[in-house]
Amino acid sequence: SCNPEMMKNATDLYFSLLQGFIVSLDNSSQDCKLRYIQNFKWTDTLQGQVPSAQQDAVFELVSMGFNVALWYTKYASRLAGKEDITEDEAKDVHRSLKIAAGIFKHLKDSHIPKLITPVEKGRDLETRLIDSYIIQCQAEAQEVTIARAIELKHNPGLIAALAYETANFYQKADQMLSSLDPAYTIKWRKYLQLKACFYMAYSYCYHGQTLLASDKCGEAIRSLQESEKFFVKAEALCKEYGETKGPGTTAKPSGHLFFRKLGSLVKNTLEKCQRENGFIYFQKVPPEAPQLELKANYGLVEPIVFEFPALHAHWTPETLAAFDLTKRPKDDSAKPKPEEEVKPLKEPDIKPQKDSGCQIS
């Protein structure tokens, strides 16, 4: 039953109170005396249930911020999975993914660098993973834009450019993960690769329509052939992705209506181009696919700028003085025991009514 407004109100209060353990009351660059009094432990999305820990309130701030960003992706996924999504709900999906991207970016730029202990390789707060989350949020928000542009029958050139930019986002996110251990990134990477192929197929398909409208039928046929090639590759990657074991839920994009529609569109558009060429144009089909140098002037997604709220008014010199650091627990070790595992929380209310084709949550 939680919505973005409720989430923002609750987390703003939490973050404003937590800031009192980090920032000094006089706004100096000196750390608050409470920053290192408590040990915080968090598990990670890819590393199983053994937590990482740091005795640092900044670690709690960025870990909580990371999970709030994940909530926005889950909220978007839940809405996108509804049977009959309305225009307002589509806007909420779009906005939630941009908010999530903004939170991830703020953590990466402004707070993770302040951690005293460097983040371990492959943990959620590591730069490569944070960057992948930012880029994928942007890509999935752009998918909403593309679906809307197709629904409203916008210019094929714009749709081709948006699809091309989205494919590039997915390729970039995949490259970010390429230097991490395949044991926990291979499934994620398969998803990113299939989405990159899928949107390259979309881009070549709509670029072909643009070429046909400019009486370049031979080039249009070659563009559609390239689209067909990418679509077949995306189908193969869907199968590989479904069979790959790894952290996270498994989406089923190949069974999604948006995916199936593209297959029919590519086939029908290619047949139309071939007919037109046989009756009217008689143009040679180039051996090489056209180079896509497309730049979308509209519809590109940027993260919504995020800032943590200011220090709560409850933090006063008297409040700070009331903390007696001599009474803190003596055995609060920052290193978790090797066998220590945290049981995952059940999430019974986030299942979408149908698969949305989106994977980030």
Side-chain angles (χ1 to χ4, degrees):
S1 60
C2 186
N3 60 40
E5 185 182 359
M6 292 163 65
M7 176 57 69
K8 186 178 188 317
N9 289 340
T11 54
D12 275 0
L13 179 60
Y14 177 81
F15 288 134
S16 67
L17 289 168
L18 185 60
Q19 296 270 38
F21 288 84
I22 300 168
V23 300
S24 59
L25 293 181
D26 60 1
N27 290 321
S28 71
S29 57
Q30 201 168 15
D31 288 332
C32 174
K33 70 173 186 176
L34 305 178
R35 177 173 170 180
Y36 305 105
I37 67 167
Q38 175 68 43
N39 186 36
F40 298 97
K41 300 175 185 178
W42 285 86
T43 55
D44 295 83
T45 51
L46 300 179
Q47 298 278 356
Q49 300 309 314
V50 177
S52 52
Q54 291 197 30
Q55 193 149 327
D56 186 348
V58 173
F59 181 64
E60 171 71 0
L61 182 77
V62 294
S63 297
M64 191 65 180
F66 182 90
N67 275 264
V68 171
L70 278 186
W71 181 87
Y72 278 100
T73 70
K74 288 178 180 293
Y75 180 75
S77 180
R78 185 179 181 185
L79 275 186
K82 291 184 69 173
E83 286 293 344
D84 297 305
I85 185 167
T86 66
E87 184 178 333
D88 284 343
E89 286 168 336
K91 286 178 182 175
D92 279 347
V93 171
H94 193 255
R95 181 171 175 78
S96 293
L97 289 165
K98 291 197 295 181
I99 290 171
I103 296 173
F104 288 132
K105 189 173 188 307
H106 181 62
L107 297 177
K108 178 200 161 193
D109 294 345
S110 303
H111 295 280
I112 293 173
K114 293 177 183 175
L115 289 169
I116 300 300
T117 307
V119 178
E120 295 173 52
K121 185 178 178 181
R123 294 288 183 174
D124 283 343
L125 303 179
E126 205 216 337
T127 301
R128 285 170 290 184
L129 268 90
I130 287 276
D131 278 335
S132 295
Y133 273 116
I134 293 168
I135 296 163
Q136 188 173 338
C137 282
Q138 288 177 272
E140 293 199 342
Q142 246 168 238
E143 290 191 52
V144 179
T145 307
I146 292 168
R148 179 72 172 158
I150 292 170
E151 184 185 358
L152 295 179
K153 295 182 169 52
H154 278 295
N155 185 299
L158 173 61
I159 296 169
L162 282 170
Y164 181 64
E165 303 267 16
T166 304
N168 285 339
F169 270 145
Y170 280 119
Q171 286 172 355
K172 191 175 176 185
D174 177 45
Q175 287 163 5
M176 289 287 176
L177 300 175
S178 62
S179 55
L180 289 166
D181 187 350
Y184 54 81
T185 60
I186 186 67
K187 190 178 184 71
W188 190 358
R189 290 194 63 201
K190 287 287 181 191
Y191 173 81
L192 295 169
Q193 289 162 13
L194 79 85
K195 276 297 183 83
C197 284
F198 178 65
Y199 280 99
M200 284 301 289
Y202 250 113
S203 187
Y204 272 111
C205 179
Y206 278 90
H207 185 57
Q209 292 182 28
T210 304
L211 290 169
L212 181 60
S214 303
D215 296 325
K216 297 176 180 177
C217 197
E219 291 178 44
I221 290 171
R222 188 63 189 87
S223 189
L224 266 298
Q225 289 171 342
E226 197 69 8
S227 176
E228 195 171 48
K229 187 176 84 175
F230 273 108
F231 184 75
V232 169
K233 190 176 177 183
E235 282 189 311
L237 282 165
C238 277
K239 190 168 183 284
E240 289 177 30
Y241 164 69
E243 293 169 353
T244 303
K245 289 183 168 38
T249 55
T250 302
K252 296 176 183 174
S254 60
H256 195 256
L257 181 62
F258 196 59
F259 193 99
R260 297 199 310 271
K261 273 184 175 178
L262 176 59
S264 302
L265 180 65
V266 172
K267 180 175 178 290
N268 294 338
T269 311
L270 177 57
E271 287 174 356
K272 178 188 174 184
C273 288
Q274 287 169 333
R275 280 196 310 272
E276 297 285 308
N277 204 42
F279 279 111
I280 302 168
Y281 294 102
F282 306 107
Q283 294 174 359
K284 284 186 179 179
V285 177
E288 297 294 325
Q291 289 295 311
L292 294 182
E293 296 176 355
L294 307 172
K295 187 74 182 169
N297 296 318
Y298 308 99
L300 291 177
V301 167
E302 288 294 330
I304 290 175
V305 175
F306 175 83
E307 294 280 346
F308 282 119
L311 187 67
H312 197 283
H314 285 347
W315 283 105
T316 63
E318 292 75 27
T319 310
L320 196 60
F323 282 86
D324 185 350
L325 301 189
T326 63
K327 293 182 179 178
R328 74 180 188 184
K330 296 279 190 276
D331 60 347
D332 197 15
S333 171
K335 286 285 181 185
K337 297 172 186 175
E339 73 279 5
E340 180 182 10
E341 288 204 1
V342 178
K343 290 182 180 179
L345 273 172
K346 287 186 178 179
E347 302 179 72
D349 71 328
I350 63 160
K351 298 289 185 188
Q353 295 172 19
K354 66 182 180 67
D355 179 58
S356 64
C358 296
Q359 179 267 355
I360 197 163
S361 286

